[in-house]
Amino acid sequence: MTGSEVAHHGLNLVTPLVFLGAAVFAVPLFRMFKLGAVIGYLAAGVAVGPYGLRLIDDPASVLTLAELGVVLLLFIIGLELKPSRLWAMRRDIAGFGLSQVVLCGGILAGVAMLAGLTWQGAVIAGAGLALSSTAFAAPLIGDRNELASPYGQRAFSILLLQDLAIVPLLALVALWSPVTAHAGSTSGWFTGLEMIAAVTSVVVMGRYVLNPMFKLLAKSGASEIMTAAALLVVLGAAALIQVAGLSMAMGAFLAGVLLAESRFRHELEANIEPFRGLLLGLFFIAVGMGIDLGLVASNAAMILGMVLGLMIAKTALIFALARATGSNWRDALKIGTVLSQGGEFAFVLFAAAVSGGILHAESSAILTAVVTFSLAFTPLAFALAQRVATPGASAIRNADFSTATGNALVIGFGRFGQVIAQILLLRGVDVTIIDHRVDAIDAAARYGMKIHYGDGSRLDILKAAGAGKAELICVCVEYAEVALKIVDFCRVQFPMAKLMVRSADRNQSLVLAGRDVDYHIRETFESAVKLGERALAALGAADSVVGDLIKEFRQRDMERFNRQLSEGVYAGAELLNKKSAFEPTQ
């Protein structure tokens, strides 16, 4: 058969091969030069698109599919946000986040009007540029394991508000569009009721339908069905919300939040993650395909000036807002720089504005180029902010490790590491303590303790801190993924040292059990057991009875743990609520 006959009678694999080949080549190359995966995807899109090698001529059709990557990203972000956590963040979301969008959007809209846009086009342009990239900023913070830090939480609050802001902004485009102004439309009241009904439906299904459904599917033992169900939930919620006139991303995010406290959360996240990564990469490739290199080249000076102006203005405005709402200057600078770029929703907003006749295609193309190049410059700006916000880090590192001679190494000086260090020091052990947080080092210094500055997840730092000579290494860091990375380094590079690890929860302990560590303990386990002892005594149980019950509890917990290692995370569930067969004599 000829090539054309194959294409006619079977699948045309040219397009997916082009995408996969471009991604596989460009992303590792750009990561090698510390430019990040997103810039690699954008460059791959430019190369294969209609303004590059012309391997693919229709970026718009690709972008439609690729937007599912943003949808899946918002679902996974929602899974990480329990409703209680959202409620705790409400002030930053409604105050800090809303102020950022209004202030930045208003000032940028004013500049756009001075540049000659209509007031409607200026508002849309300003608002689009005010939005930052969740897909870009969140990984930048996450790569440094700082999403749970104070500045990470505040930056995410702004990103969350911005993601929600796309809904009213798209509604404004529809309202102001001269293309649809005279067309027949549904009553505003009816449209509002549709939106309320759609959101209510997602909430009700999330609370009362999804958990029983996943429980039933889990009993089937078919992992592919769980994956299919996860995709069905995400896409179903996105489609339902979209039909009501809201954004798909909002529907997916809402579904994620509702499942954040589900026992199936980790399974869902694991099933969705591969699709999210690929589709999000496809999204950025599609965006890169839409960059008109000729237009960019002919307006290079203007675009570069707009990019620098945008990033400087957003950094300054967000810095001022962060300082005014309680952040220290270091955190405010990090928040400002990590959010200084334009965002992926700007592409959607500008495309809708062109379709609605609010923006000219050429203006949209220039704005798209500005957003794209602001993404490219953000890692550099953020890295510079990190250096400025950590004054003297290099000097601290060099001075500290020249005196690191302890035969015990404690990595992480949080509330857990502090106790371990004090116990070792009480015995007279020569302890080297490292932590990467300048604030923690300063606080420890006020109590006369010497903490060495360094990131314990870096092999060169571990070697400089004397891990190769240490008899004991205690991993006391807060984040599970960082702890596992350190454990892997230590087992390969420093096999003679005794390795003891703080575990955040049972799931991490199950992982550590297979990593050949000498000892690991859940950080809250022993304190909870101790409180349980006191609780039984407070209810009148005799000391001998308390001792027997606690002994049985520990045996059950160990039995369940061993069964989970061999049979899976849900094994031994019947041991949790089973009453003790021990009948104390009175």
Side-chain angles (χ1 to χ4, degrees), residues 369-449:
V370 169
V371 171
T372 302
F373 284 106
S374 72
L375 289 170
F377 291 152
T378 298
L380 179 61
F382 187 49
L384 181 61
Q386 290 278 357
R387 287 181 175 274
V388 173
T390 311
S394 298
I396 294 172
R397 188 182 304 122
N398 293 335
D400 279 348
F401 290 137
S402 64
T403 61
T405 59
N407 61 342
L409 176 62
V410 175
I411 306 170
F413 197 65
R415 61 183 186 274
F416 197 92
Q418 290 172 22
V419 175
I420 302 299
Q422 290 175 47
I423 292 173
L424 294 174
L425 290 169
L426 185 65
R427 179 70 174 86
V429 176
D430 188 4
V431 182
T432 298
I433 309 168
I434 64 174
D435 199 293
H436 71 284
R437 298 166 302 161
V438 174
D439 292 343
I441 295 172
D442 291 341
R446 288 195 289 269
Y447 292 95
M449 299 195 70

Coordinates of all heavy atoms in Angstrom, one line a residue, residues 369-449:
A369 N 2.3 37.5 21.8 CA 3.7 37.5 21.8 C 4.3 38.1 23.1 O 5.2 37.5 23.7 CB 4.3 38.3 20.6
V370 N 3.7 39.1 23.6 CA 4.1 39.7 24.9 C 4.0 38.7 26.0 O 4.9 38.5 26.8 CB 3.3 41.0 25.1 CG1 3.6 41.5 26.6 CG2 3.7 42.1 24.2
V371 N 2.8 38.1 26.1 CA 2.6 37.1 27.1 C 3.6 36.0 27.0 O 4.2 35.5 28.0 CB 1.1 36.6 27.0 CG1 1.0 35.4 28.0 CG2 0.1 37.6 27.4
T372 N 3.8 35.5 25.8 CA 4.7 34.3 25.6 C 6.1 34.7 26.0 O 6.8 33.9 26.7 CB 4.7 33.9 24.1 OG1 3.4 33.6 23.7 CG2 5.6 32.8 23.8
F373 N 6.6 35.9 25.6 CA 8.0 36.2 26.0 C 8.1 36.6 27.5 O 9.2 36.4 28.1 CB 8.5 37.4 25.1 CG 8.8 36.9 23.7 CD1 8.0 37.2 22.6 CD2 10.0 36.2 23.5 CE1 8.4 36.8 21.4 CE2 10.3 35.8 22.2 CZ 9.5 36.1 21.1
S374 N 7.0 37.0 28.1 CA 7.1 37.2 29.5 C 7.2 35.9 30.3 O 7.9 35.8 31.3 CB 5.8 38.0 30.0 OG 4.6 37.1 29.9
L375 N 6.6 34.8 29.7 CA 6.8 33.5 30.3 C 8.3 33.1 30.2 O 8.8 32.5 31.1 CB 5.9 32.5 29.5 CG 4.4 32.5 29.7 CD1 3.7 31.6 28.7 CD2 4.1 32.1 31.2
A376 N 8.9 33.4 29.0 CA 10.3 33.0 28.8 C 11.2 33.7 29.8 O 12.2 33.2 30.3 CB 10.7 33.3 27.4
F377 N 10.9 35.0 30.2 CA 11.8 35.7 31.1 C 11.5 35.5 32.5 O 12.3 35.9 33.4 CB 11.6 37.2 30.8 CG 12.2 37.7 29.4 CD1 11.7 38.8 28.8 CD2 13.2 37.0 28.8 CE1 12.1 39.1 27.5 CE2 13.7 37.3 27.6 CZ 13.2 38.4 26.9
T378 N 10.4 34.9 32.9 CA 10.0 34.7 34.3 C 11.0 33.9 35.1 O 11.4 34.3 36.2 CB 8.6 34.2 34.4 OG1 7.7 35.1 33.8 CG2 8.2 34.0 35.9
P379 N 11.5 32.7 34.6 CA 12.5 32.0 35.4 C 13.7 32.8 35.8 O 14.2 32.7 36.9 CB 12.8 30.8 34.5 CG 11.7 30.6 33.6 CD 11.1 32.0 33.3
L380 N 14.2 33.6 34.8 CA 15.3 34.5 35.1 C 15.0 35.5 36.2 O 15.8 35.7 37.1 CB 15.8 35.2 33.8 CG 17.0 36.1 34.0 CD1 18.2 35.4 34.4 CD2 17.2 36.8 32.6
A381 N 13.8 36.1 36.1 CA 13.4 37.1 37.1 C 13.2 36.5 38.4 O 13.7 37.0 39.5 CB 12.2 37.8 36.6
F382 N 12.6 35.3 38.5 CA 12.4 34.6 39.7 C 13.7 34.2 40.4 O 13.8 34.3 41.6 CB 11.4 33.5 39.5 CG 10.9 32.8 40.8 CD1 10.4 33.5 41.8 CD2 11.0 31.4 40.9 CE1 10.0 32.9 43.0 CE2 10.5 30.8 42.0 CZ 10.0 31.6 43.1
A383 N 14.6 33.7 39.6 CA 15.9 33.2 40.1 C 16.6 34.4 40.7 O 17.3 34.3 41.8 CB 16.7 32.6 39.0
L384 N 16.6 35.6 40.0 CA 17.2 36.8 40.5 C 16.6 37.2 41.8 O 17.3 37.6 42.8 CB 17.1 37.9 39.5 CG 17.8 39.2 39.9 CD1 19.3 39.0 40.1 CD2 17.5 40.3 38.8
A385 N 15.3 37.1 41.9 CA 14.6 37.5 43.2 C 15.0 36.5 44.3 O 15.1 37.0 45.5 CB 13.1 37.4 43.0
Q386 N 15.1 35.2 44.0 CA 15.6 34.3 45.0 C 16.9 34.6 45.6 O 17.2 34.6 46.8 CB 15.6 32.9 44.4 CG 14.2 32.3 44.1 CD 13.6 31.7 45.3 OE1 14.1 31.6 46.4 NE2 12.4 31.2 45.1
R387 N 17.8 35.1 44.7 CA 19.2 35.5 45.1 C 19.1 36.7 46.0 O 19.7 36.8 47.1 CB 20.1 35.7 43.9 CG 20.5 34.5 43.2 CD 21.4 34.8 42.1 NE 22.0 33.6 41.4 CZ 23.1 33.0 41.8 NH1 23.7 33.4 42.9 NH2 23.5 31.9 41.2
V388 N 18.3 37.7 45.6 CA 18.2 38.9 46.3 C 17.5 38.7 47.7 O 17.9 39.3 48.7 CB 17.4 40.0 45.5 CG1 17.1 41.2 46.4 CG2 18.2 40.4 44.3
A389 N 16.5 37.8 47.7 CA 15.8 37.5 48.9 C 16.5 36.6 49.9 O 16.0 36.4 51.0 CB 14.4 36.9 48.6
T390 N 17.7 36.1 49.5 CA 18.5 35.3 50.4 C 19.9 35.9 50.5 O 20.8 35.4 49.9 CB 18.6 33.8 49.8 OG1 17.3 33.4 49.5 CG2 19.2 32.9 50.9
P391 N 20.0 37.0 51.2 CA 21.2 37.8 51.2 C 22.3 37.0 51.8 O 22.2 36.4 52.9 CB 20.9 39.0 52.0 CG 19.7 38.6 52.9 CD 19.0 37.6 52.1
G392 N 23.5 37.0 51.1 CA 24.7 36.3 51.7 C 24.6 34.9 51.8 O 25.4 34.2 52.5
A393 N 23.7 34.2 51.0 CA 23.6 32.8 51.0 C 24.9 32.1 50.7 O 25.3 31.1 51.3 CB 22.4 32.3 50.1
S394 N 25.5 32.5 49.7 CA 26.8 31.9 49.2 C 27.8 32.0 50.3 O 28.5 31.1 50.7 CB 27.3 32.5 47.9 OG 26.4 32.3 46.9
A395 N 27.9 33.2 50.9 CA 28.9 33.4 52.0 C 28.6 32.5 53.2 O 29.5 31.9 53.8 CB 29.0 34.8 52.4
I396 N 27.3 32.4 53.5 CA 26.9 31.6 54.7 C 27.3 30.1 54.4 O 27.8 29.4 55.2 CB 25.4 31.7 54.9 CG1 25.0 33.1 55.4 CG2 24.9 30.7 55.9 CD1 23.5 33.4 55.5
R397 N 27.0 29.7 53.1 CA 27.2 28.3 52.8 C 28.7 28.0 52.9 O 29.1 27.0 53.4 CB 26.7 28.0 51.4 CG 26.7 26.6 51.0 CD 26.3 26.4 49.5 NE 24.9 27.0 49.3 CZ 24.7 28.0 48.5 NH1 25.6 28.5 47.7 NH2 23.4 28.4 48.4
N398 N 29.5 28.8 52.3 CA 31.0 28.5 52.3 C 31.5 28.5 53.7 O 32.3 27.7 54.1 CB 31.7 29.6 51.5 CG 31.4 29.5 50.0 OD1 31.0 28.4 49.6 ND2 31.5 30.6 49.3
A399 N 31.1 29.5 54.6 CA 31.7 29.6 55.9 C 31.2 28.4 56.7 O 32.0 27.9 57.5 CB 31.2 30.9 56.6
D400 N 29.9 28.1 56.6 CA 29.3 27.0 57.4 C 30.0 25.7 57.2 O 30.4 25.0 58.1 CB 27.8 26.9 57.2 CG 27.1 28.0 57.9 OD1 27.6 28.6 58.8 OD2 25.9 28.1 57.6
F401 N 30.1 25.3 56.0 CA 30.5 23.9 55.7 C 32.0 23.7 56.0 O 32.5 22.5 56.1 CB 30.2 23.5 54.3 CG 28.7 23.3 54.1 CD1 28.1 23.8 53.0 CD2 27.9 22.7 55.1 CE1 26.7 23.7 52.8 CE2 26.6 22.6 54.9 CZ 25.9 23.1 53.8
S402 N 32.8 24.7 56.2 CA 34.2 24.5 56.5 C 34.3 24.1 58.0 O 35.3 23.5 58.4 CB 35.0 25.8 56.3 OG 34.5 26.8 57.2
T403 N 33.2 24.3 58.8 CA 33.2 23.9 60.2 C 32.3 22.7 60.4 O 32.0 22.4 61.6 CB 32.8 25.1 61.1 OG1 31.5 25.5 60.7 CG2 33.7 26.2 60.9
A404 N 31.8 22.1 59.4 CA 30.8 21.0 59.6 C 31.6 19.7 59.8 O 32.1 19.0 58.8 CB 29.9 20.8 58.3
T405 N 31.9 19.3 61.0 CA 32.7 18.1 61.4 C 32.0 17.1 62.2 O 32.6 16.2 62.7 CB 33.9 18.6 62.1 OG1 33.5 19.3 63.3 CG2 34.8 19.6 61.3
G406 N 30.6 17.3 62.4 CA 29.9 16.4 63.2 C 29.8 14.9 62.7 O 29.9 14.7 61.5
N407 N 29.7 14.0 63.6 CA 29.5 12.6 63.1 C 28.1 12.2 63.1 O 27.7 11.1 62.8 CB 30.3 11.6 64.1 CG 29.7 11.7 65.5 OD1 29.1 12.6 65.9 ND2 30.0 10.6 66.3
A408 N 27.2 13.2 63.4 CA 25.7 13.0 63.2 C 25.2 14.2 62.4 O 25.6 15.4 62.6 CB 25.0 12.9 64.5
L409 N 24.4 13.9 61.4 CA 23.9 15.0 60.5 C 22.4 15.0 60.6 O 21.7 14.0 60.4 CB 24.3 14.7 59.0 CG 23.8 15.6 57.9 CD1 24.3 17.1 58.2 CD2 24.2 15.2 56.6
V410 N 21.9 16.2 61.0 CA 20.4 16.4 61.1 C 20.0 17.3 59.9 O 20.5 18.5 59.8 CB 20.0 17.0 62.4 CG1 18.5 17.3 62.4 CG2 20.3 16.0 63.5
I411 N 19.1 16.9 59.0 CA 18.7 17.6 57.9 C 17.3 18.2 58.1 O 16.3 17.4 58.2 CB 18.7 16.8 56.6 CG1 20.1 16.1 56.4 CG2 18.4 17.6 55.4 CD1 20.2 15.1 55.3
G412 N 17.2 19.5 58.3 CA 15.9 20.1 58.6 C 15.8 20.4 60.0 O 15.8 19.6 60.9
F413 N 15.6 21.7 60.3 CA 15.6 22.2 61.7 C 14.2 22.8 62.0 O 14.1 23.9 62.5 CB 16.7 23.2 62.0 CG 17.0 23.5 63.4 CD1 17.5 22.4 64.2 CD2 16.7 24.7 64.0 CE1 17.8 22.7 65.5 CE2 17.0 24.9 65.3 CZ 17.5 23.9 66.1
G414 N 13.2 22.1 61.6 CA 11.8 22.5 62.0 C 11.5 22.0 63.4 O 12.4 21.6 64.2
R415 N 10.2 21.9 63.8 CA 9.8 21.5 65.1 C 10.3 20.0 65.4 O 10.6 19.7 66.6 CB 8.3 21.6 65.3 CG 7.5 20.7 64.3 CD 6.0 20.9 64.5 NE 5.2 20.0 63.7 CZ 4.9 20.2 62.5 NH1 5.3 21.3 61.9 NH2 4.2 19.3 61.8
F416 N 10.4 19.2 64.4 CA 10.8 17.8 64.6 C 12.3 17.7 64.8 O 12.9 17.1 65.7 CB 10.3 16.9 63.4 CG 10.4 15.5 63.7 CD1 9.2 14.8 64.2 CD2 11.5 14.7 63.4 CE1 9.3 13.4 64.4 CE2 11.5 13.4 63.6 CZ 10.4 12.7 64.1
G417 N 13.0 18.4 63.8 CA 14.5 18.3 63.9 C 15.1 19.0 65.1 O 16.1 18.6 65.6
Q418 N 14.4 20.0 65.6 CA 14.9 20.7 66.8 C 15.0 19.7 68.0 O 15.9 19.7 68.8 CB 14.0 21.8 67.2 CG 14.1 23.0 66.2 CD 13.0 24.0 66.4 OE1 12.5 24.2 67.5 NE2 12.7 24.8 65.4
V419 N 13.9 18.9 68.2 CA 13.9 17.9 69.3 C 15.0 16.9 69.1 O 15.7 16.6 70.1 CB 12.5 17.2 69.4 CG1 12.5 16.2 70.4 CG2 11.4 18.2 69.6
I420 N 15.2 16.4 67.9 CA 16.2 15.4 67.7 C 17.6 16.0 68.0 O 18.4 15.4 68.7 CB 16.2 14.9 66.2 CG1 14.8 14.3 65.8 CG2 17.3 13.9 65.9 CD1 14.4 13.1 66.6
A421 N 17.8 17.2 67.5 CA 19.1 17.8 67.7 C 19.4 18.0 69.2 O 20.5 17.8 69.7 CB 19.2 19.1 67.0
Q422 N 18.4 18.5 69.9 CA 18.6 18.7 71.4 C 18.9 17.4 72.1 O 19.8 17.4 73.0 CB 17.3 19.4 72.0 CG 17.1 20.8 71.5 CD 15.8 21.4 72.0 OE1 15.5 21.3 73.2 NE2 15.0 22.0 71.1
I423 N 18.3 16.3 71.8 CA 18.6 15.1 72.4 C 20.0 14.6 72.1 O 20.7 14.2 73.0 CB 17.5 14.0 72.0 CG1 16.1 14.3 72.5 CG2 18.0 12.6 72.4 CD1 15.0 13.5 72.0
L424 N 20.4 14.7 70.9 CA 21.8 14.3 70.5 C 22.8 15.2 71.2 O 23.8 14.7 71.7 CB 22.0 14.4 69.0 CG 21.2 13.4 68.2 CD1 21.3 13.6 66.7 CD2 21.6 11.9 68.5
L425 N 22.5 16.5 71.3 CA 23.5 17.5 71.9 C 23.5 17.2 73.4 O 24.6 17.4 74.0 CB 23.0 18.9 71.6 CG 23.2 19.4 70.2 CD1 22.5 20.7 70.0 CD2 24.7 19.5 69.9
L426 N 22.4 16.8 74.0 CA 22.4 16.4 75.4 C 23.4 15.3 75.8 O 24.0 15.3 76.8 CB 21.0 16.1 75.8 CG 20.7 15.8 77.3 CD1 20.9 17.1 78.1 CD2 19.3 15.3 77.6
R427 N 23.5 14.4 74.8 CA 24.5 13.3 75.0 C 25.9 13.7 74.7 O 26.8 12.9 74.9 CB 24.0 12.1 74.1 CG 24.9 10.9 74.1 CD 24.7 10.2 75.5 NE 25.5 8.9 75.5 CZ 26.7 8.7 75.8 NH1 27.5 9.8 76.1 NH2 27.3 7.6 75.8
G428 N 26.1 14.9 74.1 CA 27.4 15.3 73.8 C 27.8 14.9 72.4 O 29.0 15.0 72.0
V429 N 26.8 14.5 71.6 CA 27.2 14.1 70.2 C 27.5 15.4 69.4 O 26.9 16.4 69.5 CB 25.9 13.4 69.5 CG1 26.2 13.1 68.1 CG2 25.6 12.1 70.3
D430 N 28.5 15.3 68.5 CA 28.9 16.4 67.6 C 28.0 16.4 66.4 O 28.1 15.5 65.5 CB 30.4 16.2 67.2 CG 30.9 17.4 66.4 OD1 30.1 18.4 66.3 OD2 32.0 17.3 66.0
V431 N 27.0 17.3 66.4 CA 25.9 17.3 65.4 C 26.1 18.4 64.4 O 26.5 19.6 64.8 CB 24.6 17.5 66.1 CG1 23.4 17.4 65.1 CG2 24.4 16.4 67.2
T432 N 26.0 18.1 63.2 CA 25.9 19.1 62.1 C 24.4 19.2 61.7 O 23.8 18.2 61.3 CB 26.8 18.7 60.9 OG1 28.1 18.6 61.3 CG2 26.6 19.7 59.8
I433 N 23.9 20.4 61.7 CA 22.5 20.7 61.4 C 22.4 21.6 60.2 O 23.1 22.6 60.1 CB 21.8 21.4 62.6 CG1 22.0 20.6 63.9 CG2 20.3 21.5 62.2 CD1 21.5 21.4 65.1
I434 N 21.7 21.2 59.2 CA 21.5 22.0 58.0 C 20.0 22.3 57.7 O 19.2 21.5 58.0 CB 22.2 21.4 56.7 CG1 21.5 20.1 56.3 CG2 23.6 21.2 56.9 CD1 22.0 19.5 55.0
D435 N 19.8 23.5 57.2 CA 18.4 23.9 56.8 C 18.6 25.0 55.8 O 19.6 25.8 55.8 CB 17.7 24.5 58.0 CG 16.2 24.5 57.8 OD1 15.7 25.3 57.0 OD2 15.5 23.7 58.5
H436 N 17.6 25.1 54.8 CA 17.7 26.0 53.7 C 16.9 27.3 54.0 O 16.9 28.2 53.2 CB 17.3 25.4 52.4 CG 15.8 25.2 52.4 ND1 15.1 24.1 53.1 CD2 14.8 25.9 51.7 CE1 13.9 24.2 52.8 NE2 13.6 25.2 52.0
R437 N 16.3 27.4 55.2 CA 15.5 28.6 55.5 C 16.3 29.6 56.3 O 16.6 29.3 57.4 CB 14.2 28.2 56.2 CG 13.3 27.2 55.4 CD 12.3 26.6 56.3 NE 12.9 25.8 57.4 CZ 12.3 25.5 58.5 NH1 11.0 25.9 58.7 NH2 12.9 24.9 59.5
V438 N 16.5 30.7 55.7 CA 17.3 31.8 56.4 C 16.6 32.2 57.7 O 17.2 32.4 58.7 CB 17.5 33.0 55.5 CG1 18.1 34.1 56.2 CG2 18.3 32.6 54.3
D439 N 15.2 32.3 57.7 CA 14.5 32.7 58.9 C 14.8 31.7 60.1 O 14.9 32.1 61.2 CB 13.0 32.8 58.6 CG 12.7 33.9 57.7 OD1 13.5 34.8 57.6 OD2 11.6 33.9 57.1
A440 N 14.8 30.4 59.7 CA 15.0 29.4 60.8 C 16.4 29.5 61.3 O 16.7 29.3 62.5 CB 14.8 28.0 60.2
I441 N 17.4 29.8 60.4 CA 18.8 29.9 60.9 C 18.9 31.1 61.8 O 19.6 31.0 62.8 CB 19.7 30.1 59.6 CG1 19.7 28.8 58.8 CG2 21.1 30.4 60.0 CD1 20.4 28.9 57.5
D442 N 18.3 32.2 61.4 CA 18.3 33.4 62.3 C 17.7 33.2 63.6 O 18.2 33.6 64.7 CB 17.6 34.6 61.5 CG 18.4 35.0 60.3 OD1 19.6 34.7 60.2 OD2 17.8 35.7 59.5
A443 N 16.6 32.5 63.6 CA 15.9 32.2 64.9 C 16.7 31.3 65.8 O 16.8 31.5 67.0 CB 14.5 31.5 64.6
A444 N 17.4 30.3 65.2 CA 18.2 29.4 66.0 C 19.4 30.1 66.6 O 19.8 29.9 67.7 CB 18.7 28.2 65.1
A445 N 19.9 31.1 65.8 CA 21.1 31.8 66.3 C 20.8 32.6 67.5 O 21.6 32.8 68.4 CB 21.6 32.8 65.1
R446 N 19.5 33.1 67.7 CA 19.1 33.8 68.9 C 19.2 33.0 70.1 O 19.2 33.5 71.2 CB 17.7 34.4 68.7 CG 17.7 35.6 67.7 CD 16.4 36.4 67.8 NE 15.3 35.7 67.2 CZ 14.9 35.7 66.0 NH1 15.6 36.5 65.1 NH2 13.8 35.1 65.6
Y447 N 19.1 31.6 69.9 CA 19.2 30.7 71.1 C 20.6 30.1 71.2 O 20.9 29.2 72.0 CB 18.2 29.6 70.9 CG 16.8 30.1 71.0 CD1 16.0 30.4 69.9 CD2 16.2 30.2 72.3 CE1 14.7 30.8 70.0 CE2 14.9 30.6 72.4 CZ 14.2 30.9 71.3 OH 12.9 31.4 71.4
G448 N 21.6 30.7 70.4 CA 22.9 30.3 70.5 C 23.3 29.0 69.8 O 24.3 28.4 70.0
M449 N 22.4 28.6 68.9 CA 22.6 27.3 68.1 C 23.2 27.7 66.7 O 22.8 28.6 66.1 CB 21.3 26.5 67.9 CG 20.7 26.1 69.3 SD 19.4 24.8 69.1 CE 20.4 23.4 68.6

